[in-house]
Amino acid sequence: MKKSQQIIQNQTENENIVDDNAFLNKLIVGIGEVSEITGIPQRQLRYWQDKGIIKTYDKNCSVRRFNYPEIKKIILIKELLDEGYTLETAAQKVTKRLQLIQETFSKFKK
Amino acid sequence: MKKSQQIIQNQTENENIVDDNAFLNKLIVGIGEVSEITGIPQRQLRYWQDKGIIKTYDKNCSVRRFNYPEIKKIILIKELLDEGYTLETAAQKVTKRLQLIQETFSKFKK
DNA sequence: CTTAAATTGTAAATAAACTACAATTTAGGG
DNA sequence: CCCTAAATTGTAGTTTATTTACAATTTAAG
């Protein structure tokens, strides 16, 4: 690979990662899309939200909408449910795990 | 930073990037969310789609839904419009640019 | 001023999501 | 097996979002 080509390569690649991050941070999706992405029925997602396990982005909004961290949480909870944990403990474990990741990253930023 | 910490750091970081990519590839959003993310009115997005400038994910679907590459395209088109290009030429330029990126990446994969 | 492109407005119809009930299923302990 | 609480699912009726199909308005350039 020529050097000039490599530079273009790295530029577009980094650009994409930056873009993707910005996009993910802006992203707030409705329950239909979350359901399709995760494979979890809408009904079940509503149930989890009613129980306070997951949170919608804007509580005053008449429609459930979720941001990216919350969708991650949903996916992780589902994994632990499939492993046999109860909803409550699955949620607790996920919360702890996400906190750990958060802490690790904040150390990294110092 | 201790070495063990660094390993954890890199693991979670890479994990996230992989997850984010998988997520972005699955993601298909409705016109409302695209409009909010991009700041472009729904009416305008429908107009662009009617003209064939942008494409919905599933043409047989009764509702407009867009995947991530298409949303990227929308954002880029808006940028060029703001710079004064016409819709047609903006769309052409963006298409070419995305092709270039595509080619560059496919070379990288070899 | 004219023309074509681009955007915007809106009413009526269709589709998606919500709520508020309740029924059903599941997992464990006794 | 029975019972209980957790978890999930079903659904009717209502609200909200989106679409279509018309047309009007604005914008840019010759």
Side-chain angles (χ1 to χ4, degrees), chain A residues 1 5 8-10 12-13 15-17 19-21 23-24 26-30 32-33 36-38 65 68 71-72 75 97 101 104-105 107-108, chain B residues 1 5 8-9 12-13 15-17 19-21 23-24 26-30 32-33 36-38 65 68 71-72 75 97 100-101 104-105 107-108:
Chain A
M1 186 185 278
Q5 205 177 82
I8 291 175
Q9 179 63 58
N10 289 340
T12 52
E13 192 171 4
E15 218 176 275
N16 274 328
I17 289 174
D19 286 354
D20 291 353
N21 255 330
F23 180 77
L24 283 176
K26 277 193 187 178
L27 190 71
I28 300 168
V29 251
E33 275 111 19
E36 286 196 16
I37 291 165
T38 62
R65 304 180 73 224
Y68 184 53
I71 296 172
K72 271 188 177 176
I75 293 170
R97 182 177 169 191
I101 292 176
T104 312
F105 270 98
K107 279 179 194 161
F108 182 68
Chain B
M1 187 186 277
Q5 205 176 81
I8 291 175
Q9 179 64 57
T12 51
E13 193 171 4
E15 217 176 274
N16 274 329
I17 289 174
D19 285 354
D20 290 355
N21 256 330
F23 180 77
L24 284 175
K26 278 192 187 179
L27 190 71
I28 300 168
V29 269
E33 274 112 20
E36 285 197 15
I37 293 165
T38 62
R65 305 178 74 221
Y68 184 53
I71 297 172
K72 271 189 180 176
I75 294 169
R97 182 178 170 191
L100 173 64
I101 292 175
T104 311
F105 270 99
K107 279 179 194 162
F108 184 66

Side-chain angles (χ1 to χ4, degrees), chain B residues 71-109:
Chain B
I71 297 172
K72 271 189 180 176
K73 189 174 174 181
I74 290 169
I75 294 169
L76 293 175
I77 289 175
K78 182 185 166 61
E79 273 180 27
L80 292 187
L81 275 186
D82 290 343
E83 288 178 18
Y85 291 100
T86 71
L87 186 55
E88 211 63 59
T89 48
Q92 282 173 14
K93 275 177 177 291
V94 167
T95 302
K96 278 182 191 165
R97 182 178 170 191
L98 292 177
Q99 275 173 4
L100 173 64
I101 292 175
Q102 185 56 43
E103 286 165 18
T104 311
F105 270 99
S106 64
K107 279 179 194 162
F108 184 66
K109 281 180 185 165

